[in-house]
Amino acid sequence: EDGAVGRRGERERPEDGPAERGPGAAFHMFVLMEDLLDKLKLLSYEEEALRRHNMRPLSRHYFALPTNPGEQFFMFCTLAAWLISRAGHPFEQPQECDDPNAVVSKVLSELRSF
């Protein structure tokens, strides 16, 4: 398929970059990250997840900007494990030295079982 029909009746293609989708599309990731951070704060992630692992709180744009992929991936894994455990499914906290593909596979497998 060529994609969805845009506001002007033109076909939108998935390969179109942010400039093709509108002027605000380039900032959409920042809005998503701020929404994620608000939701994590509502779940008290700082007290329950970060203090247990002696980690710093996330900035408003932590996952929106690629600064340190290894650190960001480990933070993602830590948060995913905490959220899965919080949902009532026991999930072992991944370690920094674990194989990233294996960790992602375990997270996805657990999420599929929900």
Side-chain angles (χ1 to χ4, degrees):
E1 303 232 351
D2 291 327
V5 176
R7 288 189 297 175
R8 297 182 189 164
E10 302 166 354
R11 284 285 202 201
E12 294 179 2
R13 296 180 311 249
E15 64 272 5
D16 288 343
E20 299 297 323
R21 291 180 279 163
F27 300 100
H28 184 67
M29 186 57 62
F30 295 98
V31 174
L32 288 176
M33 181 59 210
E34 288 187 27
D35 287 346
L36 170 67
L37 191 56
D38 288 342
K39 291 173 183 175
L40 288 171
K41 285 181 180 181
L42 287 173
L43 293 171
S44 303
Y45 89 104
E46 292 169 324
E47 293 82 22
E48 294 184 23
L50 298 184
R51 283 199 183 140
R52 184 180 313 149
H53 301 291
N54 198 25
M55 300 173 111
R56 293 176 297 158
L58 301 176
S59 70
R60 292 181 333 157
H61 307 299
Y62 185 78
F63 290 117
L65 298 171
T67 54
N68 184 341
E71 177 186 307
Q72 288 171 313
F73 180 74
F74 184 66
M75 178 64 80
F76 164 77
C77 294
T78 299
L79 291 174
W82 173 70
L83 288 168
I84 291 169
S85 296
R86 177 126 190 207
H89 291 245
F91 194 84
E92 186 178 326
Q93 169 65 37
Q95 303 299 312
E96 284 189 83
C97 59
D98 290 347
D99 176 37
N101 293 321
V103 172
V104 169
S105 179
K106 287 189 333 191
V107 167
L108 290 174
S109 175
E110 191 63 38
L111 293 175
R112 285 185 190 110
S113 73
F114 272 60

